């Protein structure tokens, strides 16, 4: 626990969206509520090395849904989709850096204080 690239976090967020609006909104307000998701509970007590590709909490393919729908409806290409999207001058509202107080997820005591339910499912060893 504690290792996550930018891409992995992006794909995790897509996976979270895929869990449905209710779960997404609950976790957005209270991150520790993720411990209630059956998809997360199935991974508890198992080493990430034993998780299958299907079980990993990420869903990269969801990032391509809008582009594929554009292509299907318009008959235009993937590049046309990006050009059309760029022409909207859309400003990504998401900050580049995390908001709020920084803390080290690899510190078991701190993680347990902030995310008690997730920490119970996935304990962090200080030696990791």
């Amino acid at each position: 626990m504690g290792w996550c690239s930018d891409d992995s976090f992006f794909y995790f967020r897509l996976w979270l969206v895929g869990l449905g609006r209710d779960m997404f909104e609950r976790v957005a307000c209270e991150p520790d509520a993720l411990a209630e998701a059956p998809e997360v509970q199935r991974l508890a007590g198992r080493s990430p090395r034993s998780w299958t590709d299907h079980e990993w909490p990420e869903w990269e393919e969801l990032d391509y849904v809008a582009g594929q729908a554009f292509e299907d409806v318009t008959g235009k290409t993937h590049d046309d989709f990006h050009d059309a999207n760029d022409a909207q001058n859309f400003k990504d509202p998401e900050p580049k850096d995390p908001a709020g107080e920084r803390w080290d997820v690899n510190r078991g005591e701190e993680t347990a204080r902030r995310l008690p339910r997730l920490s119970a499912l996935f304990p962090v060893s200080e030696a990791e």
Side-chain angles (χ1 to χ4, degrees), residues 95-114:
K96 298 294 180 201
D97 293 314
E101 178 186 349
R102 289 187 171 272
W103 56 282
D104 185 353
V105 71
N106 290 313
R107 295 193 62 226
E109 183 179 300
E110 182 69 8
T111 301
R113 184 178 70 78
R114 292 176 181 263

Side-chain angles (χ1 to χ4, degrees), residues 1-2 104-109 111-112 119 122-128:
M1 192 165 151
D104 185 353
V105 71
N106 290 313
R107 295 193 62 226
E109 183 179 300
T111 301
S119 293
F122 304 97
V124 174
S125 168
E126 299 288 339
E128 288 184 24

Side-chain angles (χ1 to χ4, degrees), residues 36-111:
E36 300 167 16
E39 296 83 356
V40 170
Q41 292 175 355
R42 282 193 288 273
L43 300 174
R46 295 174 45 208
S47 165
R49 289 180 179 87
S50 72
W51 300 352
T52 66
D53 287 345
H54 179 73
E55 291 177 307
W56 272 92
E58 61 183 25
W59 195 4
E60 178 181 1
E61 295 82 12
L62 191 56
D63 190 33
Y64 306 108
V65 171
Q68 186 62 54
F70 176 87
E71 291 176 31
D72 292 348
V73 170
T74 66
K76 295 183 178 181
T77 68
H78 184 73
D79 288 338
D80 292 328
F81 169 72
H82 286 288
D83 290 344
N85 194 35
D86 290 345
Q88 296 296 313
N89 293 319
F90 174 73
K91 178 159 174 59
D92 189 350
E94 187 162 322
K96 298 294 180 201
D97 293 314
E101 178 186 349
R102 289 187 171 272
W103 56 282
D104 185 353
V105 71
N106 290 313
R107 295 193 62 226
E109 183 179 300
E110 182 69 8
T111 301

